[in-house]
Amino acid sequence: MLGLLGVAALTGVGNDSPEKPPPVVEATAPPHAVEQTAACGKVLAQLPVQLGRLDPRVVHTKPDTPYVVAWGDPPVILACGVDKPKALFPGSDEQVFNAGDLAGPYYLVSRSGNANVYTIIDRAPYVSITVPAKYQAAEILPALVGAVGKALPAVCSTEASTPDPAKLCTRRKT
């Protein structure tokens, strides 16, 4: 199944180069993508086809899902419906970040090989954005985090001063 980005990649939208397109991105489907179809569909509807100078890529997932998209070579990958980050638990002292908007979305940063993974924690479902070291995250994240913020409302708070501790993101079950 190919989403809008997959079709754009197949048709060459945004590809100014006569070079052969990069190979298909192979990925594992996020574990919660099927149960989060409606929310992930809203996220996909907000995503840019072209991510700055990065062309869309064709993505094949196992099992098949449209909720993993990619741009560039090496690929920046957005996956909707990922697991809750292991570092997100009550009492966690992990620092959360935003892309410049105090209303969020907020994310945790982890490392995976030669890339940083930014997992959005205050929206449901969890969404991860993997940015290879080749790129400046500050050039990539605003468009993608902003798209998630437009698509999904906040479901928890990252503020320790929240009057109801049950509403803290560290206490989210899923």
Side-chain angles (χ1 to χ4, degrees):
M1 181 183 294
L2 294 175
L4 171 64
L5 296 172
V7 171
L10 285 176
T11 59
V13 171
N15 187 357
D16 295 329
S17 163
E19 298 173 18
K20 186 172 99 177
V24 169
V25 175
E26 301 286 343
T28 302
H32 308 289
V34 172
E35 65 202 56
Q36 296 290 343
T37 296
C40 289
K42 290 177 183 178
V43 170
L44 261 57
Q46 293 294 324
L47 294 175
V49 172
Q50 183 85 17
L51 184 58
R53 300 169 306 179
L54 304 180
D55 292 331
R57 296 280 300 272
V58 174
V59 177
H60 291 167
T61 60
K62 290 187 182 174
D64 190 33
T65 178
Y67 305 121
V68 178
V69 294
W71 302 262
D73 189 18
V76 170
I77 300 173
L78 181 140
C80 185
V82 300
D83 280 328
K84 178 179 179 176
K86 290 184 184 351
L88 187 63
F89 57 86
S92 170
D93 62 357
E94 289 289 321
Q95 186 173 0
V96 296
F97 301 91
N98 65 45
D101 184 346
L102 294 179
Y106 285 86
Y107 51 84
L108 289 178
V109 183
S110 60
R111 193 89 179 136
S112 178
N114 198 25
N116 283 327
V117 179
Y118 303 84
T119 303
I120 297 174
I121 60 168
D122 67 336
R123 305 300 198 248
Y126 293 105
V127 176
S128 70
I129 302 165
T130 303
V131 180
K134 173 181 178 178
Y135 306 116
Q136 294 294 319
E139 295 175 8
I140 303 291
L141 290 178
L144 299 181
V145 171
V148 173
K150 286 179 188 170
L152 304 173
V155 296
C156 60
S157 175
T158 59
E159 294 296 321
S161 62
T162 298
D164 182 358
K167 295 193 186 288
L168 288 170
C169 291
T170 55
R171 298 197 183 269
R172 270 182 70 186
K173 299 292 183 214
T174 59

